[in-house]
Amino acid sequence: MKKLLALCLFFLLTLSACSSQTLEQTMKEVDSTNLSDEPIGGLKVGTFLREEPGFKGYESNGEYNRNYNQYTNGELDVSVDKEGTDEILAVGVIESGTGSTTVHIVLGSTLDEVTSAYGEDYFSYTDSNQGMQEIGYVDHENNLLLSFVHVDNKVTGMSLGYAFDRLIWE
């Protein structure tokens, strides 16, 4: 349950946080980075979970009013469209997960390693309500977001998902 709560908070941070400028406004202002071939842990947004063995749904999937269900294989947490398509809407790595990006960014990587790998066209955002800091890259053409939550210059969580209007939590 703790892992589910952390994952939910991570995705909520990615989607809607409080500050003088919203996360979405911040994301819209950053220059685009091509993320079309980017997976986390080998999973890409827009592919289908039914093709991936070993994932189990969270017991709490039916408890929330949202357009996705969450699954895990112990290494990756995946948000999947619950309209029956099994389309992957987001992939995340938190806590002890071992998934990596194409350029081998993992939990514990430094922000310098992230920016060296993905470039300087990133946004920086702090959710003052939750005390979480992140940097992220937006692919405006493909509606993708790659974000890295960090503490003390080290990646503590990362996710790849649709940037705008795909994950809905009401």
Side-chain angles (χ1 to χ4, degrees), residues 47-97:
T47 60
F48 301 94
L49 189 64
R50 67 178 168 265
E51 300 167 358
E52 299 295 329
F55 281 86
K56 296 182 174 146
Y58 282 100
E59 291 179 16
S60 62
N61 276 338
E63 296 176 17
Y64 301 102
N65 185 19
R66 58 187 184 204
N67 70 330
Y68 59 94
N69 285 322
Q70 293 177 295
Y71 297 85
T72 187
N73 66 358
E75 302 298 322
L76 300 171
D77 292 298
V78 181
S79 296
V80 175
D81 187 351
K82 72 181 196 183
E83 296 300 318
T85 66
D86 290 331
E87 180 186 1
I88 296 173
L89 303 178
V91 179
V93 180
I94 57 173
E95 294 181 355
S96 61

Side-chain angles (χ1 to χ4, degrees), residues 11 13 28 31 64 73 80 85-86 96 98 119 126 131 151 155 165:
F11 283 124
L13 168 68
K28 286 180 178 179
D31 288 338
Y64 301 102
N73 66 358
V80 175
T85 66
D86 290 331
S96 61
T98 60
T126 300
V151 174
V155 174
D165 301 327

Side-chain angles (χ1 to χ4, degrees), residues 10 20 34 43 49 66 69 73 75 105 112 133 136-137 140 144 154-155 157 162 170:
F10 182 68
S20 61
N34 184 356
L43 295 181
L49 189 64
R66 58 187 184 204
N69 285 322
N73 66 358
E75 302 298 322
I105 301 297
D112 288 340
Q133 296 179 311
Y137 297 86
H140 293 284
L144 295 172
K154 299 277 186 181
V155 174
Y162 287 110
E170 299 176 315

Side-chain angles (χ1 to χ4, degrees), residues 6 9-11 13 125-134 149-151 156:
L9 290 174
F10 182 68
F11 283 124
L13 168 68
Y125 191 79
T126 300
D127 179 341
S128 57
N129 289 337
Q130 297 184 28
M132 296 176 76
Q133 296 179 311
E134 76 174 294
V149 173
H150 58 91
V151 174
T156 59

Side-chain angles (χ1 to χ4, degrees), residues 97-126:
T98 60
S100 70
T101 66
T102 301
V103 294
H104 308 293
I105 301 297
V106 296
L107 299 186
S109 293
T110 66
L111 292 184
D112 288 340
E113 291 171 318
V114 172
T115 58
S116 291
Y118 290 101
E120 298 298 321
D121 292 329
Y122 63 88
F123 66 86
S124 182
Y125 191 79
T126 300

